Amino acid sequence: EPEVTQTPSHQVTQMGQEVILRCVPISNHLYFYWYRQILGQKVEFLVSFYNNEISEKSEIFDDQFSVERPDGSNFTLKIRSTKLEDSAMYFCASSSRGNSYNEQFFGPGTRLTVL
Amino acid sequence: ILNVEQSPQSLHVQEGDSTNFTCSFPSSNFYALHWYRWETAKSPEALFVMTLNGDEKKKGRISATLNTKEGYSYLYIKGSQPEDSATYLCALIYNQGGKLIFGQGTELSVKP
């Protein structure tokens, strides 16, 4: 069964460093998402992406964040200068359509620890 | 700010018990409600996508109902098994885009 994969599973970085989190969505999906969960808090939406551009982004997704689909298979989230408060589990998701009726398929997450 | 609430936060039951959880959301902002099952160290897995008031969906021993007028959805598990132990998340979609707004989840633990 097709699945969303994410690498790495755990990333430890120093504050101020850049990190790139990678995701491989399901191959025929067209809509891509990043969510994150800070420990003890709700899963929260970061950004949605379709047709090589951002569809919607949350207040969290400021200029320090960017997303890219560099090669037609990978979908990346870059944090330019990490802060302590960026420590969280980051989830990538994809769906075949972008409307409310289609389930999103999630990856297993990347745990980001900023020291 | 749209708020999705789930209760209880955690639940400990014995194998064979039936259980149910609640997801509450603002009834004025509704396009769809998604239920996900999330086991530790695995990907959250979609259980149901519910869109119509009065919807009832079933998958094996798990079923869900939806009341959009009063803003709640129930998830039922009949005859809980240890493999049902997971966190159950509901998520609201309030516009035509796919942005999910999650509740805090209900953590279910089923003891043999």
Side-chain angles (χ1 to χ4, degrees):
Chain A
E1 189 172 323
E3 58 183 20
V4 177
T5 59
Q6 289 185 243
T7 53
S9 56
H10 192 185
Q11 172 102 39
V12 181
T13 190
Q14 295 290 327
M15 191 169 58
Q17 295 295 304
E18 175 183 285
V19 294
I20 297 176
L21 309 183
R22 290 183 167 79
C23 168
V24 179
I26 293 173
S27 62
N28 63 346
H29 284 185
L30 301 175
Y31 296 83
F32 313 110
Y33 309 87
W34 283 100
Y35 295 86
R36 76 175 186 187
Q37 187 185 37
I38 294 170
L39 191 63
Q41 297 185 23
K42 296 179 180 180
V43 176
E44 52 190 354
F45 168 82
L46 292 177
V47 66
S48 58
F49 190 87
Y50 168 70
N51 201 25
N52 279 321
E53 58 183 35
I54 290 173
S55 309
E56 187 174 1
K57 60 183 181 179
S58 72
E59 290 173 357
I60 303 163
F61 196 89
D62 62 20
D63 292 344
Q64 292 301 309
F65 291 86
S66 62
V67 288
E68 198 176 34
R69 191 153 158 81
D71 56 12
S73 61
N74 289 285
F75 179 49
T76 61
L77 175 70
K78 183 194 290 187
I79 309 175
R80 283 189 188 78
S81 178
T82 49
K83 305 184 186 78
L84 295 175
E85 54 266 36
D86 294 328
S87 294
M89 181 75 95
Y90 287 79
F91 292 98
C92 169
S94 70
S95 68
S96 55
R97 294 183 187 177
N99 62 37
S100 52
Y101 310 118
N102 284 82
E103 63 183 279
Q104 294 179 22
F105 292 80
F106 281 78
T110 292
R111 181 166 297 285
L112 176 65
T113 302
V114 182
L115 302 176
Chain B
I1 298 177
L2 291 172
N3 198 30
V4 178
E5 293 294 331
Q6 291 186 248
S7 62
Q9 269 195 302
S10 64
L11 202 50
H12 300 267
V13 301
Q14 290 293 129
E15 183 175 353
D17 288 349
S18 292
T19 186
N20 66 83
F21 333 126
T22 305
C23 174
S24 302
F25 52 87
S27 57
S28 57
N29 304 92
F30 181 85
Y31 264 72
L33 191 89
H34 293 216
W35 279 101
Y36 286 86
R37 180 174 178 275
W38 184 18
E39 285 183 73
T40 303
K42 294 189 177 179
S43 306
E45 173 197 353
L47 289 172
F48 305 114
V49 177
M50 310 186 77
T51 57
L52 297 174
N53 185 45
D55 251 357
E56 289 189 31
K57 299 219 170 176
K58 190 173 179 185
K59 188 183 279 191
R61 293 178 291 99
I62 305 177
S63 60
T65 61
L66 177 67
N67 184 323
T68 59
K69 293 189 189 310
E70 296 183 32
Y72 64 83
S73 175
Y74 293 141
L75 188 80
Y76 302 92
I77 302 179
K78 185 178 176 183
S80 304
Q81 299 295 309
E83 58 265 30
D84 296 328
S85 297
T87 296
Y88 291 82
L89 296 166
C90 71
L92 174 74
I93 295 187
Y94 67 94
N95 59 24
Q96 278 291 357
K99 172 181 172 179
L100 292 169
I101 299 176
F102 282 88
Q104 68 270 55
T106 292
E107 188 178 353
L108 175 66
S109 173
V110 183
K111 291 189 176 177

